[in-house]
Amino acid sequence: MNAQLTLFAASPSDPKIEWMESTLLAVGDWMSASELSSASGGRLDDRAIRALAGNSDNVVSGQLGYKHIRRATTEEIDHAATWLESQSRKMADRATRIRRNAHQLVG
């Protein structure tokens, strides 16, 4: 079976990012992906919401969902940034392992 996935991609200029930022700013608190999906009338799923947040300079994410940076505490912002840095290191380590293993195969 050859199934193709259609991935949601968002550019930094996507108007849905402005919608998400405005919604979070107005709510003023954490919103889960399902809450944002409902607020969008079901037009956005979890993957789309993650893509929008990933391209926004004003949305922080965490275990509680998503929050506008203007409504986040210093601790929440620091926690979100630290988590992203940790994920970045893990991904870089994985890339190194994959390259090393591929090199051994070609070797």
Side-chain angles (χ1 to χ4, degrees):
M1 181 165 83
N2 186 8
Q4 288 187 335
L5 293 176
T6 302
L7 300 178
F8 180 90
S11 71
S13 61
D14 190 318
K16 289 184 282 306
I17 293 174
E18 185 177 333
W19 169 85
M20 182 180 192
E21 291 173 353
S22 297
T23 299
L24 291 171
L25 189 58
V27 168
D29 204 356
W30 291 98
M31 288 185 76
S32 68
S34 62
E35 290 170 326
L36 282 164
S37 179
S38 292
S40 77
R43 291 184 303 271
L44 300 173
D45 62 12
D46 290 357
R47 185 182 305 252
I49 291 165
R50 276 193 308 275
L52 293 172
N55 281 290
S56 170
D57 293 335
N58 296 304
V59 174
V60 295
S61 58
Q63 289 183 319
L64 298 175
Y66 302 90
K67 193 173 194 179
H68 196 286
I69 197 169
R70 289 187 190 168
R71 303 290 194 222
T73 65
T74 303
E75 292 81 14
E76 290 169 332
I77 294 167
D78 185 57
H79 182 78
T82 299
W83 183 84
L84 288 170
E85 290 164 345
S86 172
Q87 292 303 305
S88 173
R89 283 189 297 275
K90 288 176 184 178
M91 292 173 74
D93 290 346
R94 182 172 180 225
T96 299
R97 291 191 314 271
I98 288 170
R99 287 184 196 279
R100 182 179 55 239
N101 289 341
H103 180 72
Q104 290 172 355
L105 292 172
V106 175

